[in-house]
Amino acid sequence: DSRRVGRAAVPPPSPPAAVSQVTVRDALNQALDEELERDERVFLLGEEVAQYDGAYKISRGLWKKYGDKRVVDTPISEMGFAGIAVGAAMAGLRPVCEFMTFNFSMQAIDQVINSAAKTCYMSAGSIAVPVVFRGPNGASAGVGAQHSQCFAAWYGHCPGLKVVSPWSSEDAKGLLKASIRDDNPVVMLENELLYGVPFEMSEQAQSKEFVIPIGKAKIERQGTHVTLVAHSRPVGHCLEAAAVLSKEGVECEVINLRTIRPLDIETVEASVVKTNHLVTVEGGWPQFGVGAEICARIMEGPAFNYLDAPAVRVTGADVPMPYAKILEDNCLPQVKDIIFAVKKTLNI
């Protein structure tokens, strides 16, 4: 006993923070519930969000808890209910507008871009449009070309919007809460195949005040040989590829972008300065894509001088998504494609 021999007693180790497994679906539901409770100006609208609990059960239980005025079922008219959401935001409410898939947001793109994104600038800052457009983005499984497109590059192209793209449950909760509280229009691009996936969430991440700042990337794995940059589901593929490559002596640094606009290029630059190699990974098409933007920014900035090889992009195939499963798999970046790109970059 340290007290007996006169030394200062060593305090007992603090118990580890409680960590539990939470699916992305439940994390989104938790975020919506907490923000509806916190701010009476927040309301949800979209197809089947109320009585049916949401097409993907993201809004499960919220209609029963908050009623018709806070959780609103709409007709099948994206242009109509997106317009209602934008008008409500201009009038001082904070709507969360769900698209059943972002492919259907094409029906409402005039409202998203011309009505929401440009209004603050065109009104010299006098009209804020605090609206969140959220829903699944990119390819699911076996849903054909008209339901499989990634819109990160489309919406990331437009000034006036903020665009977030979560991977984990922590990302989903923290970014949705930050988006609802933001005074600008935010497009939140989720992934349908991640909804049922459980991730570890700390006690802190499950608190009511947990938010993730928009515009800040997260380093998911430290490494020294090559930087892998991804968003949404491909972050998981990058971590899998990094685990395989680690056994071969290659240590990958994996960056989860979290936000598409504004892009946290500083975190990517700092990593490239350290690793001297860059591979970008995304499910979208190659031309004018997120990876293309990252490569251009690196080339224009100070990190370019540290590159020991050309940056490489791993993307979806440059075709509309086929329906057949084997073709679909070959159109989307797989772990083997990332490993191949890393070895090509490192010349091994």
Side-chain angles (χ1 to χ4, degrees):
D1 188 319
S2 59
R3 284 166 294 185
R4 249 182 241 158
V5 293
R7 289 197 304 262
V10 178
S14 54
V19 173
S20 49
Q21 296 271 328
V22 179
T23 64
V24 171
R25 174 182 287 109
D26 289 341
L28 290 165
N29 180 267
Q30 208 176 87
L32 290 170
D33 189 8
E34 289 169 8
E35 293 304 301
L36 283 162
E37 184 180 63
R38 176 180 171 273
D39 188 342
E40 61 183 16
R41 296 171 298 171
V42 176
F43 73 100
L44 317 182
L45 76 165
E47 295 145 346
E48 299 182 349
V49 297
Q51 294 188 39
Y52 188 67
D53 280 343
Y56 302 100
K57 302 295 178 260
I58 304 298
S59 51
R60 185 177 56 232
L62 299 181
W63 174 67
K64 282 182 183 160
K65 185 171 179 181
Y66 294 101
D68 288 326
K69 285 195 171 177
R70 305 289 301 284
V71 185
V72 184
D73 275 331
T74 65
I76 303 175
S77 172
E78 278 74 16
M79 177 169 268
F81 66 75
I84 288 169
V86 173
M90 288 178 180
L93 298 177
R94 304 186 87 87
V96 180
C97 173
E98 178 180 300
F99 293 123
M100 204 176 283
T101 153
F102 260 92
N103 297 267
F104 300 162
S105 75
M106 292 296 91
Q107 298 284 342
I109 199 163
D110 179 55
Q111 301 290 8
V112 178
I113 303 302
N114 286 324
S115 301
K118 299 173 183 175
T119 293
C120 184
Y121 180 84
M122 291 177 72
S123 67
S126 64
I127 302 173
V129 190
V131 58
V132 179
F133 300 103
R134 55 151 296 273
N137 168 69
S140 175
V143 291
Q146 291 169 321
H147 301 77
S148 298
Q149 190 173 333
C150 175
F151 290 93
W154 282 52
Y155 287 119
H157 181 64
C158 301
L161 286 179
K162 292 185 178 180
V163 183
V164 298
S165 181
W167 167 60
S168 65
S169 300
E170 184 179 297
D171 291 351
K173 182 180 179 187
L175 288 170
L176 181 52
K177 287 172 75 78
S179 300
I180 292 169
R181 296 181 189 190
D182 201 285
D183 286 335
N184 299 280
V186 182
V187 169
M188 181 156 173
L189 304 169
E190 300 154 14
N191 186 288
E192 185 185 333
L193 295 176
L194 289 174
Y195 283 153
V197 177
F199 289 88
E200 285 190 353
M201 267 182 94
S202 66
E203 207 170 357
Q204 179 204 2
Q206 293 188 64
S207 81
K208 289 190 175 183
E209 287 312 307
F210 176 73
V211 292
I212 290 172
I214 293 173
K216 194 79 193 81
K218 182 187 179 188
I219 298 172
E220 297 286 351
R221 179 187 174 118
Q222 297 281 348
T224 51
H225 295 124
V226 59
T227 299
L228 298 179
V229 185
H231 66 95
S232 191
R233 192 162 168 257
V235 173
H237 297 340
C238 286
L239 289 170
E240 286 179 48
V244 173
L245 286 160
S246 179
K247 291 172 184 165
E248 300 178 31
V250 176
E251 293 301 329
C252 303
E253 183 143 298
V254 178
I255 297 177
N256 171 10
L257 278 178
R258 283 180 163 175
T259 306
I260 306 300
R261 184 183 188 103
L263 195 62
D264 180 6
I265 202 66
E266 293 79 13
T267 296
V268 180
E269 281 178 339
S271 180
V272 170
V273 166
K274 179 168 76 167
T275 68
N276 312 114
H277 300 89
L278 172 65
V279 174
T280 68
V281 186
E282 66 190 302
W285 294 317
Q287 191 154 318
F288 313 114
V290 175
E293 175 66 20
I294 292 167
C295 292
R297 295 265 199 108
I298 292 296
M299 199 175 88
E300 291 167 352
F304 174 70
N305 296 312
Y306 291 83
L307 279 175
D308 288 344
V312 173
R313 292 177 294 158
V314 180
T315 71
D318 199 21
V319 295
M321 181 61 68
Y323 174 72
K325 184 172 186 340
I326 189 156
L327 294 178
E328 186 177 68
D329 288 346
N330 279 288
C331 276
L332 291 168
Q334 306 295 328
V335 173
K336 62 180 173 59
D337 303 318
I338 299 167
I339 292 169
F340 179 82
V342 168
K343 289 184 172 180
K344 175 183 167 186
T345 308
L346 296 173
N347 200 24
I348 56 176

